[in-house]
Amino acid sequence: MSLDNLQGWLVGEGLRDDLDRLTRHTVVAELDNLVLPAGEEAASFDWPRLLLAGSILARSDQRTYQDAALRIATAAITLSDSDAIKDSGAVLLSKLSNFRAVVLATERGLLSADVEGRLGMALRIEAQRRQIDQSVLVQSSGRWIQVNEFQQRFWSEANNYQWLSASAPTASGKTFLVLQWLIDQIRSGEMRVAVYLAPTRALVAEIEANLVALLGTGSGIEVSSLPIRDKHDKARLGGPRAILVLTQERMHLLANAIGAPFKVDLLVVDEAHKIGDNQRGVILQDAIERASRSNPVLKIVFISPATQNPQELLVDAPDGARTASFESDVPTVLQNVIVAEPVPRKSKQWRLSARQHASMLPLGVVQLASSPSTLRKKLAFIAAAAGERGGTLVYANGAADAEGIADLISQLMPEAPADPELLELADLARKGVHPHYLLAPLVERGVAFHYGNMPSLIRLEVERLFRSGKIRFLVCTSTLIEGVNLSCRTIVVRGPRKGIGHPMEAHDFWNLAGRAGRWGDEFQGNIICIDPQNGQAWPDGVPERARFPIKRESDAVIEQGDSLADYLDHRATNDLSAFQDPNQFEQVASYLLATFMRQGSIAQSSLAKRHDPAIIARLEASLANIAKDIAIGPEIAARHPGVSALGMQRLLDAFRNYKGDVENLLPAAVDSDDSYDRFVTIMRRINQHLFPAFTPDGIIRLHALIVVQWLKGFSLARMIERNIDYHRRSRRSFKLPVLIRSTMELVEQIARFRAPKYLSAYVDVLNLHLVEIGRQDLIDDDLDIGTQLEFGISSRTLLSLIELGLSRVSAVALYEKIARDDLAKEDCVAWVRERNTQFEGMDIPAIILREIRGKLLPEDRAGAATSTP
């Protein structure tokens, strides 16, 4: 019998009953308030036989066999009372290159320290050889890191290839090792500037914090998430090397600020599969191509979770570049899919079963506190019962659901004195958002919610306290799918959606599920799926584990045949109001037009090789017809990804035909009396000529008001209060939770996304017109309007505070206490140092004070920590 046949027999027949029993016992140990089936046998196993089988299965690279070996090793350590069996389980884990699980078992007291010292000589030599084989050398420090198979292959190939695309499941240690490798590359090589691209601001903040922690003080490497040229230019001139952590939009802002000298030596693209996302995928593609054009020898690493074709990201590599791709499906933690179904005629009892391949293993019945009469109550009550010990995430399909479910869970929590850190977070929520923001009373009871529009400082503090265990239940929206590395013990989900009404696809489901049982934090994770037989909740059933194909947004749109060319033809001759949904094609059409303008054709571009020549020829003709009438130039088109050069040309024509005073076309200084009216007029002009970004017309005034308040440096709490006052004065009814959420959404979607995108293009085209008519004196060379809107700043002092590393929440809270608006960074530090002992009397939340002292007075951090209440 071949090894492969033996392994197949073990999993299919030889160990099937044993693996089912192991699964039941290991999963049951993870759940709370579970009534076991009558006659459930005690955990008694033939460990020598199982461990021998596990060592055979560990020699395979197939996920099914490795998963079985991991189940055996984990069960030996967590279920057995024998030290010898536990040690054998640790040896099996090391054969699976799962050294972090051995460390975790030792930290939790499940293993006695120094397992290797208790082994016989032959096993000890084998263990030492395995540790050497599964380690990588960090050249810059001379330190060895123990790694799994995916990590080892990544380290080797990332060092040997110019373009690399690597894919592995969530929870396989991708981020940890990529950051270690990135730091090593900057420290030990000739590279001066690296960019780490992340898809969301939340992930940008997390990666930036991780890099700062890994580098420590005095590293000689600057880390920043601001699209400001200072650190890039200093690194290029021989100053401290720089790692810039940016979204794709921020990278374009940085490239715009720098101009032709923009050059990146190393680009890491995290969550690279998002090149296929609607609207933002083409902006990511454009950012990658822009960096590659500026440096033909640029080194690029793409990281994606569990994809079928990571090599797809390499097709645009320059000629002669050495490329490689690989994918891994090796499990690092056990992930148990558990289904919850109601017991007939007993509404408070729910039957739990574990999915084991094609079969269901009954686990027991969980008793709920009350009958779950609504969908929210189902999620809340099952999570509170089965995940009572904490570390429990609940997935909600929207921010309102997240708040409602968290409120229900909190009502089931026993009364207990609130932890001081939870009280500090509640204080920040009340002062940073609103005195009646629902998050405040919930966190005092150890429950929280988490969604993308929340202020970053509050969101990060929620994540920190959940990781520490002080927040026991966390209700999240799709932010978790965007790559935030937040782990848990259990996830509870019912009918998950991504976006409004769109059932979550298998790859997103497993990206979410990967948060359960994060490697190095847990041995296993549980994904409890409620009502699996409900076709409305789960149209295709609970998803099976699957890898998904990467497809660029641009390719998906081009493959629609003549639709894109038809859109281009109509776009050239019709007003945008004639289109029912211009967003469907505008992003890709803008990208293709910019490419055509830069190259004079798309027929020779790399994308042409991937499509039907007839489609490319049709697009080429449509683009040529549009481009002949465009005078703005490819440079301006390249500066504004997703904004049509045709729209910018029409805007330029409108400027040329304007009969009034040209100064009336300019945005007014944000503190001037006519700033609001100017923004209203500009937004209408953008809608008419550039793109209908601020619609419907009836709410343009609201959009303009949000933009002005954001630029003035208003805190979110102040903006919400202004919104409440507006509703009261106009006698409009409102619900406070809805108004709070809608204000947050307006800030994120209008002030920080649409406004910077289209106002930046407006200002660039206007500056071109001013040059044409000889009015360069009216051009403002201060900070780009897009960067101002991205961070909500218009003063030198506020910018300095954010450059020093403060979140906007903290920067605004401090700015409200500072009289001058022209302070440089060193002036801000001096101001804080002078008043350090006075802060407690300023009614500034303790969490904000910690951030201010930690960022601006790092040498005083220890003293500040003891003096902060």
Side-chain angles (χ1 to χ4, degrees):
M1 180 181 289
S2 68
L3 177 61
D4 188 60
N5 287 339
L6 175 59
Q7 291 165 336
W9 177 81
L10 284 171
V11 171
E13 298 177 39
L15 293 179
R16 182 170 182 175
D17 291 341
D18 295 285
L19 288 173
D20 286 352
R21 290 177 58 232
L22 277 179
T23 299
R24 276 198 299 269
H25 282 285
T26 51
V27 175
V28 163
E30 290 286 303
L31 302 172
D32 302 312
N33 298 305
L34 195 65
V35 179
L36 301 180
E40 179 75 11
E41 77 277 13
S44 176
F45 299 98
D46 184 350
W47 289 115
R49 175 173 173 269
L50 284 169
L51 289 162
L52 173 61
S55 67
I56 295 171
L57 294 169
R59 296 168 64 184
S60 173
D61 59 1
Q62 291 189 37
R63 184 182 182 96
T64 300
Y65 301 158
Q66 290 222 343
D67 211 44
L70 182 58
R71 177 76 64 182
I72 292 168
T74 301
I77 290 175
T78 58
L79 299 181
S80 174
D81 294 327
S82 165
D83 288 341
I85 296 300
K86 289 177 180 288
D87 287 352
S88 298
V91 170
L92 181 52
L93 284 174
S94 67
K95 287 184 177 181
L96 292 166
S97 304
N98 204 330
F99 303 106
R100 290 178 71 178
V102 177
V103 173
L104 179 63
T106 305
E107 291 173 348
R108 293 193 175 177
L110 295 170
L111 274 177
S112 300
D114 191 26
V115 172
E116 190 177 306
R118 296 191 294 277
L119 300 178
M121 182 60 70
L123 281 176
R124 191 181 308 171
I125 292 172
E126 182 185 351
Q128 291 173 345
R129 178 191 59 77
R130 201 159 39 238
Q131 289 177 11
I132 293 171
D133 288 345
Q134 294 298 135
S135 298
V136 296
L137 174 63
V138 181
Q139 294 183 358
S140 58
S141 64
R143 183 167 59 97
W144 290 86
I145 302 176
Q146 288 186 326
V147 294
N148 60 32
E149 290 181 9
F150 163 78
Q151 292 174 322
Q152 186 180 52
R153 186 168 179 187
F154 171 85
W155 195 277
S156 172
E157 300 206 356
N159 285 331
N160 292 324
Y161 291 92
Q162 183 181 341
W163 281 43
L164 173 69
S165 181
S167 176
T170 305
S172 58
K174 297 189 296 294
T175 302
F176 167 77
L177 198 77
V178 169
L179 294 185
Q180 294 280 359
W181 175 81
L182 171 59
I183 290 171
D184 192 44
Q185 290 290 301
I186 289 290
R187 277 179 167 163
S188 61
E190 297 300 318
M191 296 180 180
R192 305 296 308 176
V193 178
V195 169
Y196 191 109
L197 279 184
T200 64
R201 298 186 189 101
L203 188 55
V204 163
E206 180 180 323
I207 296 298
E208 181 183 21
N210 288 343
L211 283 168
V212 169
L214 287 170
L215 285 166
T217 57
S219 67
I221 298 174
E222 297 275 6
V223 179
S224 176
S225 59
L226 301 181
I228 296 173
R229 64 181 302 167
D230 180 56
K231 289 181 171 55
H232 171 279
D233 291 354
K234 287 180 179 177
R236 283 276 156 247
L237 294 173
R241 302 181 187 209
I243 302 177
L244 307 175
V245 188
L246 308 167
T247 61
Q248 53 262 46
E249 289 86 1
R250 288 188 188 180
M251 201 192 91
H252 282 295
L253 288 173
L254 177 65
N256 291 348
I258 295 170
F262 171 69
K263 182 182 178 184
V264 175
D265 301 308
L266 171 61
L267 179 66
V268 175
V269 185
D270 199 356
E271 302 288 315
H273 62 291
K274 290 190 172 295
I275 202 166
D277 275 9
N278 185 33
Q279 304 295 314
R280 295 184 69 224
V282 73
I283 298 177
L284 174 58
Q285 180 179 349
D286 207 357
I288 295 165
E289 292 176 0
R290 192 171 182 181
S292 181
R293 288 197 304 271
S294 71
N295 181 12
V297 296
L298 170 69
K299 189 177 185 73
I300 303 185
V301 170
F302 299 96
I303 305 297
S304 57
T307 55
Q308 293 176 6
N309 56 336
Q311 69 277 5
E312 175 65 22
L313 296 167
L314 305 176
V315 298
D316 292 330
D319 293 340
R322 296 190 69 224
T323 66
S325 67
F326 73 95
E327 54 196 275
S328 171
D329 200 27
V330 174
T332 54
V333 293
L334 298 170
Q335 290 179 323
N336 310 309
V337 175
I338 302 166
V339 300
E341 299 173 284
V343 175
R345 299 177 301 281
K346 296 181 179 180
S347 61
K348 294 183 183 180
Q349 295 183 9
W350 284 68
R351 183 177 293 109
L352 303 187
S353 305
R355 187 170 73 183
Q356 177 84 323
H357 305 304
S359 61
M360 302 300 295
L361 308 177
L363 300 174
V365 173
V366 65
Q367 179 77 29
L368 308 186
S370 299
S371 297
S373 56
T374 66
L375 299 183
R376 288 183 180 180
K377 286 184 176 181
K378 285 183 182 181
L379 284 160
F381 295 172
I382 291 172
E388 183 180 53
R389 75 188 70 178
T392 302
L393 281 175
V394 182
Y395 184 84
N397 288 327
D401 281 343
E403 292 182 5
I405 294 165
D407 188 24
L408 289 167
I409 294 173
S410 75
Q411 297 174 43
L412 303 177
M413 295 295 97
E415 292 287 345
D419 181 271
E421 287 195 300
L422 296 179
L423 291 175
E424 289 177 352
L425 176 54
D427 182 53
L428 177 61
R430 291 186 174 103
K431 293 175 180 175
V433 179
H434 190 272
H436 299 300
Y437 188 36
L438 183 59
L439 182 68
L442 297 188
V443 297
E444 291 174 344
R445 300 178 71 89
V447 182
F449 50 80
H450 178 295
Y451 43 76
N453 294 335
M454 293 170 67
S456 62
L457 184 61
I458 293 177
R459 191 175 61 242
L460 290 171
E461 191 67 8
V462 165
E463 293 169 10
R464 184 184 73 82
L465 292 174
F466 181 73
R467 289 188 182 100
S468 74
K470 293 187 176 182
I471 290 176
R472 295 168 56 201
F473 293 88
L474 181 58
V475 188
C476 298
T477 62
S478 58
T479 308
L480 271 187
I481 307 172
E482 306 301 327
V484 176
N485 295 308
L486 189 64
S487 62
C488 64
R489 178 181 288 109
T490 300
I491 291 177
V492 182
V493 61
R494 183 192 185 279
R497 300 294 187 263
K498 186 181 179 186
I500 300 176
H502 301 293
M504 189 179 287
E505 295 183 20
H507 63 270
D508 279 327
F509 175 84
W510 280 102
N511 199 2
L512 170 67
R515 273 62 185 158
R518 202 73 169 184
W519 189 37
D521 294 331
E522 302 288 345
F523 296 108
Q524 55 188 322
N526 311 296
I527 306 98
I528 300 179
C529 303
I530 300 173
D531 291 334
Q533 303 304 322
N534 187 303
Q536 188 175 2
W538 305 90
D540 300 311
V542 176
E544 297 286 344
R545 187 182 294 275
R547 289 179 290 181
F548 63 98
I550 294 173
K551 174 168 282 190
R552 293 168 182 79
E553 178 190 6
S554 57
D555 289 342
V557 172
I558 292 171
E559 286 177 4
Q560 293 183 34
D562 289 337
S563 298
L564 180 57
D566 289 342
Y567 175 81
L568 284 165
D569 292 341
H570 286 90
R571 180 78 163 85
T573 57
N574 290 284
D575 187 271
L576 278 169
S577 60
F579 296 97
Q580 185 174 0
D581 182 17
N583 281 303
Q584 182 181 3
F585 296 109
E586 180 75 0
Q587 308 293 316
V588 175
S590 302
Y591 164 76
L592 291 178
L593 182 54
T595 302
F596 184 95
M597 291 171 62
R598 186 179 64 253
Q599 297 182 349
S601 170
I602 63 167
Q604 302 305 314
S605 64
S606 59
L607 70 87
K609 304 171 188 175
R610 303 193 291 269
H611 297 283
D612 184 337
I615 293 176
I616 296 298
R618 170 82 195 279
L619 288 171
E620 181 92 356
S622 299
L623 292 166
N625 182 56
I626 294 172
K628 64 181 175 55
D629 297 322
I630 294 179
I632 63 165
E635 296 80 12
I636 290 183
R639 287 170 58 85
H640 303 286
V643 180
S644 173
L646 176 59
M648 287 189 274
Q649 181 62 45
R650 288 177 173 169
L651 184 61
L652 179 60
D653 293 340
F655 292 152
R656 289 169 172 172
N657 294 328
Y658 184 70
K659 303 303 182 184
D661 186 343
V662 70
E663 293 191 29
N664 291 332
L665 299 173
L666 298 168
V670 73
D671 289 322
S672 66
D673 292 340
D674 61 342
S675 177
Y676 166 71
D677 289 331
R678 286 283 184 93
F679 274 115
V680 170
T681 302
I682 288 171
M683 287 180 175
R684 287 199 169 116
R685 194 173 286 127
I686 287 171
N687 283 351
Q688 182 179 357
H689 303 292
L690 186 58
F691 187 78
F694 307 101
T695 55
D697 187 75
I699 61 171
I700 279 184
R701 290 189 171 276
L702 175 60
H703 289 169
L705 184 63
I706 290 292
V707 166
V708 169
Q709 291 176 351
W710 184 246
L711 283 175
K712 282 184 174 181
F714 279 23
S715 66
L716 177 62
R718 191 176 175 190
M719 295 174 74
I720 290 170
E721 279 298 332
R722 290 288 187 96
N723 205 350
I724 291 172
D725 290 344
Y726 167 76
H727 280 74
R728 285 175 176 163
R729 286 196 310 271
S730 58
R731 299 183 183 277
R732 297 188 180 188
S733 62
F734 67 92
K735 294 180 179 179
L736 182 60
V738 175
L739 187 142
I740 290 173
R741 291 194 302 271
S742 66
T743 305
M744 290 180 179
E745 184 174 7
L746 283 169
V747 168
E748 292 299 316
Q749 297 301 317
I750 300 301
R752 303 190 72 184
F753 182 65
R754 287 191 224 169
K757 179 176 180 178
Y758 293 102
L759 285 172
S760 291
Y762 178 94
V763 171
D764 254 9
V765 175
L766 179 56
N767 288 344
L768 177 62
H769 176 59
L770 293 175
V771 171
E772 285 181 344
I773 64 173
R775 292 301 308 272
Q776 293 93 325
D777 58 298
L778 296 177
I779 295 177
D780 187 351
D781 292 325
D782 285 344
L783 194 64
D784 173 73
I785 184 71
T787 302
Q788 292 182 49
L789 284 161
E790 170 74 9
F791 296 97
I793 52 175
S794 59
S795 76
R796 176 68 253 180
T797 300
L798 200 48
L799 175 60
S800 295
L801 292 171
I802 289 178
E803 283 186 288
L804 287 165
L806 293 185
S807 64
R808 187 181 186 274
V809 172
S810 296
V812 168
L814 191 57
Y815 182 53
E816 289 177 350
K817 310 295 182 183
I818 298 175
R820 291 177 54 184
D821 63 3
D822 60 348
L823 297 185
K825 287 185 288 185
E826 56 272 18
D827 300 321
C828 291
V829 172
W831 190 97
V832 169
R833 180 170 285 112
E834 182 180 337
R835 291 162 179 78
N836 190 19
T837 59
Q838 304 170 25
F839 282 137
E840 275 70 24
M842 294 185 182
D843 196 32
I844 297 176
I847 292 170
I848 291 178
L849 286 183
R850 274 203 300 274
E851 186 180 40
I852 290 170
R853 286 168 168 153
K855 298 290 187 181
L856 275 64
L857 304 175
E859 69 278 9
D860 299 338
R861 190 176 301 174
T866 57
S867 64
T868 302

